[in-house]
PDB file of all heavy atoms in Angstrom:
ATOM      1  N   ILE A 233      78.010 109.482 106.037  1.00  0.00           N
ATOM      2  CA  ILE A 233      76.590 109.295 105.758  1.00  0.00           C
ATOM      3  C   ILE A 233      75.909 110.554 105.209  1.00  0.00           C
ATOM      4  O   ILE A 233      75.218 110.594 104.325  1.00  0.00           O
ATOM      5  CB  ILE A 233      75.893 108.530 106.866  1.00  0.00           C
ATOM      6  CG1 ILE A 233      76.566 107.169 107.016  1.00  0.00           C
ATOM      7  CG2 ILE A 233      74.379 108.359 106.591  1.00  0.00           C
ATOM      8  CD1 ILE A 233      76.109 106.351 108.231  1.00  0.00           C
ATOM      9  N   GLN A 234      76.189 111.564 105.988  1.00  0.00           N
ATOM     10  CA  GLN A 234      75.564 112.900 105.804  1.00  0.00           C
ATOM     11  C   GLN A 234      76.066 113.393 104.329  1.00  0.00           C
ATOM     12  O   GLN A 234      75.274 113.855 103.574  1.00  0.00           O
ATOM     13  CB  GLN A 234      75.983 113.928 106.820  1.00  0.00           C
ATOM     14  CG  GLN A 234      75.059 113.726 108.032  1.00  0.00           C
ATOM     15  CD  GLN A 234      75.506 114.765 109.184  1.00  0.00           C
ATOM     16  OE1 GLN A 234      76.594 115.167 109.264  1.00  0.00           O
ATOM     17  NE2 GLN A 234      74.549 114.968 110.007  1.00  0.00           N
ATOM     18  N   ALA A 235      77.373 113.233 104.108  1.00  0.00           N
ATOM     19  CA  ALA A 235      78.019 113.653 102.845  1.00  0.00           C
ATOM     20  C   ALA A 235      77.393 112.794 101.735  1.00  0.00           C
ATOM     21  O   ALA A 235      77.017 113.432 100.573  1.00  0.00           O
ATOM     22  CB  ALA A 235      79.465 113.564 102.767  1.00  0.00           C
ATOM     23  N   ALA A 236      77.000 111.609 101.970  1.00  0.00           N
ATOM     24  CA  ALA A 236      76.421 110.754 100.937  1.00  0.00           C
ATOM     25  C   ALA A 236      75.020 111.194 100.641  1.00  0.00           C
ATOM     26  O   ALA A 236      74.502 111.255  99.531  1.00  0.00           O
ATOM     27  CB  ALA A 236      76.377 109.256 101.384  1.00  0.00           C
ATOM     28  N   PHE A 237      74.275 111.567 101.801  1.00  0.00           N
ATOM     29  CA  PHE A 237      72.846 112.134 101.516  1.00  0.00           C
ATOM     30  C   PHE A 237      72.929 113.478 100.738  1.00  0.00           C
ATOM     31  O   PHE A 237      71.996 113.696  99.926  1.00  0.00           O
ATOM     32  CB  PHE A 237      72.169 112.455 102.888  1.00  0.00           C
ATOM     33  CG  PHE A 237      71.453 111.277 103.481  1.00  0.00           C
ATOM     34  CD1 PHE A 237      72.000 110.521 104.568  1.00  0.00           C
ATOM     35  CD2 PHE A 237      70.294 110.772 102.912  1.00  0.00           C
ATOM     36  CE1 PHE A 237      71.232 109.466 105.087  1.00  0.00           C
ATOM     37  CE2 PHE A 237      69.714 109.695 103.381  1.00  0.00           C
ATOM     38  CZ  PHE A 237      70.129 108.921 104.481  1.00  0.00           C
ATOM     39  N   THR A 238      74.053 114.272 100.971  1.00  0.00           N
ATOM     40  CA  THR A 238      74.234 115.530 100.092  1.00  0.00           C
ATOM     41  C   THR A 238      74.338 115.162  98.691  1.00  0.00           C
ATOM     42  O   THR A 238      73.849 115.822  97.848  1.00  0.00           O
ATOM     43  CB  THR A 238      75.202 116.373 100.756  1.00  0.00           C
ATOM     44  OG1 THR A 238      75.033 116.469 102.185  1.00  0.00           O
ATOM     45  CG2 THR A 238      75.357 117.754 100.073  1.00  0.00           C
ATOM     46  N   SER A 239      75.175 114.105  98.412  1.00  0.00           N
ATOM     47  CA  SER A 239      75.494 113.687  97.072  1.00  0.00           C
ATOM     48  C   SER A 239      74.256 113.250  96.357  1.00  0.00           C
ATOM     49  O   SER A 239      74.252 113.189  95.043  1.00  0.00           O
ATOM     50  CB  SER A 239      76.543 112.572  97.197  1.00  0.00           C
ATOM     51  OG  SER A 239      77.677 112.962  97.804  1.00  0.00           O
ATOM     52  N   LEU A 240      73.151 112.893  96.973  1.00  0.00           N
ATOM     53  CA  LEU A 240      71.975 112.451  96.303  1.00  0.00           C
ATOM     54  C   LEU A 240      71.395 113.580  95.394  1.00  0.00           C
ATOM     55  O   LEU A 240      70.747 113.317  94.400  1.00  0.00           O
ATOM     56  CB  LEU A 240      70.844 112.047  97.332  1.00  0.00           C
ATOM     57  CG  LEU A 240      71.001 110.832  98.229  1.00  0.00           C
ATOM     58  CD1 LEU A 240      69.983 110.670  99.299  1.00  0.00           C
ATOM     59  CD2 LEU A 240      71.128 109.590  97.306  1.00  0.00           C
ATOM     60  N   GLN A 241      71.750 114.831  95.653  1.00  0.00           N
ATOM     61  CA  GLN A 241      71.273 115.941  94.840  1.00  0.00           C
ATOM     62  C   GLN A 241      72.111 115.975  93.483  1.00  0.00           C
ATOM     63  O   GLN A 241      71.553 116.620  92.485  1.00  0.00           O
ATOM     64  CB  GLN A 241      71.602 117.296  95.577  1.00  0.00           C
ATOM     65  CG  GLN A 241      70.672 117.379  96.769  1.00  0.00           C
ATOM     66  CD  GLN A 241      71.214 118.462  97.887  1.00  0.00           C
ATOM     67  OE1 GLN A 241      72.062 119.311  97.466  1.00  0.00           O
ATOM     68  NE2 GLN A 241      70.851 118.318  99.073  1.00  0.00           N
ATOM     69  N   ASP A 242      73.184 115.297  93.386  1.00  0.00           N
ATOM     70  CA  ASP A 242      73.817 115.142  92.019  1.00  0.00           C
ATOM     71  C   ASP A 242      73.447 113.830  91.305  1.00  0.00           C
ATOM     72  O   ASP A 242      73.567 112.785  91.778  1.00  0.00           O
ATOM     73  CB  ASP A 242      75.359 115.173  92.449  1.00  0.00           C
ATOM     74  CG  ASP A 242      76.192 115.169  91.137  1.00  0.00           C
ATOM     75  OD1 ASP A 242      75.689 114.825  90.024  1.00  0.00           O
ATOM     76  OD2 ASP A 242      77.341 115.631  91.212  1.00  0.00           O
ATOM     77  N   PRO A 243      72.693 114.165  90.179  1.00  0.00           N
ATOM     78  CA  PRO A 243      72.269 112.982  89.363  1.00  0.00           C
ATOM     79  C   PRO A 243      73.359 111.970  89.039  1.00  0.00           C
ATOM     80  O   PRO A 243      73.110 110.872  89.067  1.00  0.00           O
ATOM     81  CB  PRO A 243      71.666 113.556  88.130  1.00  0.00           C
ATOM     82  CG  PRO A 243      71.623 115.156  88.258  1.00  0.00           C
ATOM     83  CD  PRO A 243      72.449 115.440  89.476  1.00  0.00           C
ATOM     84  N   ASP A 244      74.683 112.539  88.777  1.00  0.00           N
ATOM     85  CA  ASP A 244      75.659 111.537  88.391  1.00  0.00           C
ATOM     86  C   ASP A 244      76.155 110.652  89.565  1.00  0.00           C
ATOM     87  O   ASP A 244      76.707 109.578  89.337  1.00  0.00           O
ATOM     88  CB  ASP A 244      76.815 112.331  87.863  1.00  0.00           C
ATOM     89  CG  ASP A 244      76.564 113.009  86.642  1.00  0.00           C
ATOM     90  OD1 ASP A 244      75.616 112.598  85.824  1.00  0.00           O
ATOM     91  OD2 ASP A 244      77.159 114.037  86.235  1.00  0.00           O
TER      92      ASP A 244
END
Side-chain angles (χ1 to χ4, degrees):
I233 293 172
Q234 282 179 336
F237 272 111
T238 308
S239 303
L240 294 172
Q241 293 161 20
D242 183 335
D244 295 335

